[in-house]
Amino acid sequence: MLTQVAIKAPKPCEKPYRVADGNALYLLVRPDGSMRWVHRYRIAGKEKSLSYGRFPEVTAAEVRTRHQEARRQMRDGRDPGGGGVRHRGRVPSWSA
């Protein structure tokens, strides 16, 4: 997990880059110097990402709490990004 000092340390570069916090949560540092909290995850075989907001507007503690809730939703079979319920195996007939 990143410390407050490590969160403030990244400097902008030519290209966006990631600073990992753990469990697929990272801080995306953009060329303009802005930083955004992002969670990458896979659900139903598709890779998705969920943005939690900009640093420092959203603190590390807030992000980690929301990240734990998103992981709980995934464990329950729900898409934390609002994609509905994940179905294993067959696609239900009503979703055609």
Side-chain angles (χ1 to χ4, degrees), residues 22-93:
N23 289 325
L25 178 65
Y26 61 89
L27 193 61
L28 179 65
V29 182
R30 296 189 173 163
D32 64 1
S34 66
M35 294 185 270
R36 181 171 294 279
W37 293 103
V38 181
H39 171 209
R40 284 179 71 183
Y41 63 99
R42 289 183 86 73
I43 196 153
K46 294 183 181 178
E47 188 172 306
K48 296 185 174 190
S49 63
L50 183 61
S51 176
Y52 293 117
R54 291 179 164 214
F55 176 81
E57 295 161 6
V58 181
T59 66
E62 289 176 89
V63 168
R64 290 177 183 136
T65 302
R66 291 169 58 188
H67 179 64
Q68 285 177 346
E69 179 57 34
R71 289 176 56 87
R72 217 173 284 122
Q73 287 178 1
M74 288 173 47
R75 226 181 355 257
D76 294 341
R78 296 187 314 231
D79 184 349
V85 176
R86 178 182 68 195
H87 297 279
R88 294 189 178 149
R90 268 183 13 162
V91 176
S93 60

